[in-house]
Amino acid sequence: MRSESTWHGKAPGRVNLIGEHVDYLGGIVLPAAVDRFIEVTGHGSANWSIASDVEGGLAYVRAVCEELEVGPQAVQVASQVPPNAGLSSSAALLVAVAAGLRPGMDGRKAALACQRAEQKATGVQVGVMDQFASALGRRGDALLLDCATLEYELVPFPDEVAIAVIDSGEHRALAATPYNQRRREAEAGDPKRMRHVHSEIARVRAFVAALRKRDFNRLGELLKESHASLRDDFEVSTPNVDALVEQVSSIGGCYGARIMGAGFGGSVLALLDRTRTQNLVAVVGRAVQICSTADGAFVREA
Ligand code: GLA
């Protein structure tokens, strides 16, 4: 490719249905790509530059270009993935750049390159889940990903269940949170942290079984249990998020809710009866994203 030629890339945000703080320990997770996209246009240039509505985006762009061994680029970013809303806008940006510059790349390799780029750009030792979901998620499915082997299986996700992501309004850059500390504690085998990891992995399996049986109430129970474990054993929730989870869980049509993503504030995931989402929007009175599953940037048409 000539470095001056213009390239375009597009990648979705993601949700994580269940399997939190287990990706970097080689556990199994169940994310899905969702229908909010970042689009990037770029071309080789004498200097790095970015025109973007995503804050701090240039560090990510440079880091992923470095991983792909690409020199300075001028990039323009158009984002439908609200920043700080829990939909992993940073993974979507990284994957969009990778897809634009290396459209033929293997999706797994692209996800790994984007994970390394995120680690370098932020200093946070993130797992591969977010980048993987943005690269290889599928419309109509959740992705059951084994983070030890990067093998994955598609698990059909029902249209009647709405995926809602509610911004808690409590935002902290991941680098300013104890994320790396939690990772070290778990890697060192701290019993309380490991109790979360083992119970969460069991919940991922139970969640997949419930999805296959279309037992939506069971999905909700597992979300509640996941939240309690993230709150009490992994200690990544906050009183504000706990209250929001309680509030959301009690809304008619809601199967269950939990803190989603890294935590320490951030966002809440809720699963609801698709015909009853207005209740949620009316009750929480804050930014809510009602999402559907979508194709990842490296999914090839069959
Ligand atoms: C962030 C990281 C992921 C994962 C989650 C917690 O989203 O980027 O790799 O560790 O936190 O499950």
Side-chain angles (χ1 to χ4, degrees), residues 14 16 19-24 29 88 115 118 125-131 174 179 260-263:
R14 70 91 187 93
N16 185 21
E20 216 66 88
H21 284 283
V22 299
D23 62 345
Y24 49 75
V29 295
S88 216
Q115 177 195 16
E118 176 139 9
Q125 295 306 302
V126 295
V128 75
M129 170 173 71
D130 302 345
Q131 298 78 15
L174 222 46
Y179 183 99
M260 184 178 73

